[in-house]
Amino acid sequence: MLLIGHGISVRADLPIPEWLFGWAAAMVLVVSFVALAVLWPEPRLQRRTWRPLPGGIGRFFASRPVEIVCGAIGVFLFGVVIYSGLRGVDVPEANFASMFVYVAFWVGLVPLSVLFGDVFRAFNPWRAIGRAAAWVAQRASRSDLPAPLEYPERLGRWPAAIGLFAFTALELVYADGDKPESVAIAALAYSALTFIGMALYGVERWIERGEAFSVYFNLFSRLSPVETRDGEVGLRRPLSGLPSLELLPGTVAVLAVMIGTVTFDGASEAPLWSGISPDIASFFRDVGLSPQRAFELAFLVGLTGAVLFVGAFYRLGILGARSVGGGFSASRLANEFVHSLVPIALAYVAAHYFTLLMFDGQRLFYVISDPLGKGSDLFGTAGAQPDLGWIGANAIWYWQVGFVVAGHVAALILAHDKALALYRDARQAVRSQYWMLAIMVGFTSLALWLLSQANA
Amino acid sequence: MSLPIAHAAHTLTTIAYFLPVVAFLAWLFVTQIRERRRSRG
């Protein structure tokens, strides 16, 4: 990724070798699994418990004026991204467009979604523009607008999976993907596609299923104890938003993209990838491509391979779970348990981009004062410099291990709860989860190995 | 001479990371085969 990114400094004096943390994490998962089997005999997360915030606060946060203000802020920020991307300096770390999109939006909104619910839905500029356009069109025509087309069921969340893959390809594959101008042009192109999708299938339907970032942040927001329901913000049991995830085609693909692309981002720093990528690039050079395009295609192969690997690994666990009986098809099981991958995706994002948010996040304070990078100082913070020493390398490692373990334990809880609801026999439910445990141990080991590669 | 040793150390470390997964999958396969045999017998 851009800028300081990951692996900011080398860890030293850890009490045990890094790989032993992987073994300890695996042990934590096994112990958690046994504890769940003994102490969690009934499904607890399947019922949607929710109560509104007291004193009318919930109604205020979900009110129309707040919605309009949030939407206007989203549209304004989107406008600043486009303007600074096209008119500002061509230096990613000095331009608001790259910093905002890759740090504040892509990474920073994830913890906000987990803490405060579906924040992006309120600030989504495409949704705000789409709803405003529909309102104006309705007023102008003085009659009901024609009904949108019915959203094809088999399309499910596939457009979102493709959109997320395209965005990460821009970030990780395209050599100039972090350049402000590329970010602005990509945002405009994506906006055009989003408006077409909303015009065809309706604003809300496209936002729920087709718009990549809405689907991405909504999945993370389902971990949150905060949920907006029937025009009111309220509280629910943490994690309980995930079991009610609508089982739609393409959901496994979305999660495979979410985990696989972070996997590739980490793996691309590993000596293993440095060893094989020149060979793949040379294959593309031999068919007549320029060295830069050949390397980009090599990275595209790597990115695709990582997504397919994650999808195949999940499929392996599902086939294993199917082998214990119960009469469920593999695709039914894959859909039923896919929500348990969301905390894993969160663990990957949190652990992998922790340093990006902690260090590059500080740069946002000076780019907001000088969004174009041309010497302005709107809020008096343009001269600030990031403090790169406020958290040590070992502390970062402990945080990262903590994120990985917590995410995978949460995934185990979700899968265990769903198995209890799905299988009639509790013993069969636990046996099916041996395979999910194998998946969790696998993803944990992979996550810690990827993090270790940043300093390899 | 130091390069192959460095590579070997790196490979061993990578193997160490994934050893729990391999061990767990092996245990799972063995358990499943045993259960199948038991249910046949």
Side-chain angles (χ1 to χ4, degrees), chain A residues 310-399:
Chain A
V310 168
F313 193 54
Y314 177 63
R315 190 77 181 175
L316 175 76
I318 290 300
L319 291 176
R322 185 172 175 256
S323 71
V324 305
F328 301 108
S329 69
S331 62
R332 165 93 191 272
L333 287 176
N335 277 326
E336 291 284 358
F337 286 104
V338 70
H339 66 294
S340 65
L341 294 181
V342 175
I344 297 177
L346 174 67
Y348 270 60
V349 169
H352 194 73
Y353 297 127
F354 182 62
T355 50
L356 182 90
L357 199 58
M358 291 297 108
F359 298 112
D360 288 323
Q362 296 177 51
R363 292 176 189 265
L364 285 164
F365 290 104
Y366 67 78
V367 292
I368 58 167
S369 271
D370 187 13
L372 303 182
K374 290 185 173 175
S376 63
D377 193 4
L378 300 175
F379 304 106
T381 56
Q385 286 298 318
D387 177 3
L388 304 181
W390 75 276
I391 182 166
N394 285 2
I396 290 170
W397 172 251
Y398 290 130
W399 274 103

Side-chain angles (χ1 to χ4, degrees), chain A residues 35-203:
Chain A
L36 283 170
V38 176
L39 303 171
W40 195 301
E42 297 285 331
R44 295 178 190 182
L45 300 173
Q46 307 303 312
R47 272 184 295 114
R48 299 190 71 189
T49 52
W50 178 89
R51 58 190 161 80
L53 290 175
I57 303 171
R59 274 195 299 279
F60 167 75
F61 278 120
S63 65
R64 183 53 66 90
V66 172
E67 190 181 33
I68 290 170
V69 169
C70 290
I73 293 171
V75 173
F76 171 74
L77 289 171
F78 180 75
V80 177
V81 165
I82 301 298
Y83 185 76
S84 57
L86 295 177
R87 294 294 174 94
V89 292
D90 204 22
V91 181
E93 61 265 39
N95 190 301
F96 181 82
S98 303
M99 292 302 300
F100 182 81
V101 170
Y102 286 127
V103 181
F105 172 68
W106 181 238
V107 180
L109 255 184
V110 173
L112 289 181
S113 303
V114 174
L115 290 173
F116 304 114
D118 203 350
V119 181
F120 180 61
R121 185 179 168 81
F123 290 91
N124 186 335
W126 301 293
R127 178 172 176 260
I129 293 170
R131 282 164 63 98
W135 184 81
V136 169
Q138 199 158 9
R139 283 290 171 107
S141 68
R142 295 182 182 182
S143 62
D144 285 343
L145 295 172
L149 298 175
E150 194 168 328
Y151 190 88
E153 277 304 308
R154 63 182 174 181
L155 210 55
R157 295 189 175 95
W158 278 107
I162 294 166
L164 287 173
F165 185 83
F167 177 78
T168 47
L170 173 78
E171 180 194 14
L172 304 174
V173 172
Y174 182 46
D176 293 332
D178 60 349
K179 292 280 175 67
E181 191 181 22
S182 308
V183 171
I185 291 169
L188 287 173
Y190 181 73
S191 301
L193 291 174
T194 304
F195 292 138
I196 292 170
M198 291 194 299
L200 288 175
Y201 301 113
V203 174

Side-chain angles (χ1 to χ4, degrees), chain B residues 8-25:
Chain B
H10 192 76
T11 308
L12 283 175
T13 310
T14 298
I15 291 169
Y17 270 101
F18 292 101
L19 216 53
V21 195
V22 176
F24 194 85
L25 284 174

Side-chain angles (χ1 to χ4, degrees), chain A residues 210-294:
Chain A
E211 203 276 286
F213 302 106
S214 297
V215 171
Y216 178 76
F217 291 118
N218 176 267
L219 284 171
F220 286 126
S221 76
R222 287 170 177 271
L223 291 158
S224 170
V226 181
E227 182 192 5
T228 304
R229 193 185 287 189
D230 302 328
E232 198 165 3
V233 179
L235 296 174
R236 65 186 170 196
R237 195 176 284 177
L239 304 180
S240 67
L242 277 166
S244 60
L245 179 68
E246 213 178 339
L247 307 181
L248 294 172
T251 310
V252 176
V254 169
L255 267 305
V257 168
M258 285 164 70
I259 300 172
T261 50
V262 181
T263 300
F264 178 71
D265 199 7
S268 62
E269 295 170 23
L272 180 71
W273 177 248
S274 323
I276 59 171
S277 58
D279 294 332
I280 305 173
S282 93
F283 167 79
F284 289 117
R285 267 203 310 276
D286 289 346
V287 296
L289 291 174
S290 69
Q292 184 180 321
R293 291 286 169 263

